[in-house]
Amino acid sequence: MANEVKLHPVTGEELVRATYPRKIEYKGLSKTIQMTGWYTKDGNDAIFTKEDLKEYDVAIKQLTEEYQKFH
């Protein structure tokens, strides 16, 4: 995968495989996780694979459970 090239589906910009911190929120709670994905060179836009989104799914589940404990 190191030599794999992906292009942004809208802009055509080349994407690079990288990991960036991403803040997620749920009903007033927030958490920052490290998200691996295909990012634009400036890191402001990304495309995530199903595998990449597993980390997000775990984090959102944790926030949901935390919220439900107190509400």
Side-chain angles (χ1 to χ4, degrees), residues 5-16 38 47:
V5 173
K6 290 205 182 278
L7 300 177
H8 192 285
V10 175
T11 66
E13 182 178 351
E14 188 172 318
L15 303 172
V16 295
W38 291 94
I47 304 295

Side-chain angles (χ1 to χ4, degrees), residues 40-55:
T40 54
K41 291 185 181 181
D42 62 9
N44 290 329
D45 195 7
I47 304 295
F48 300 107
T49 67
K50 187 176 183 178
E51 190 67 28
D52 297 335
L53 290 172
K54 287 181 180 179
E55 185 69 28

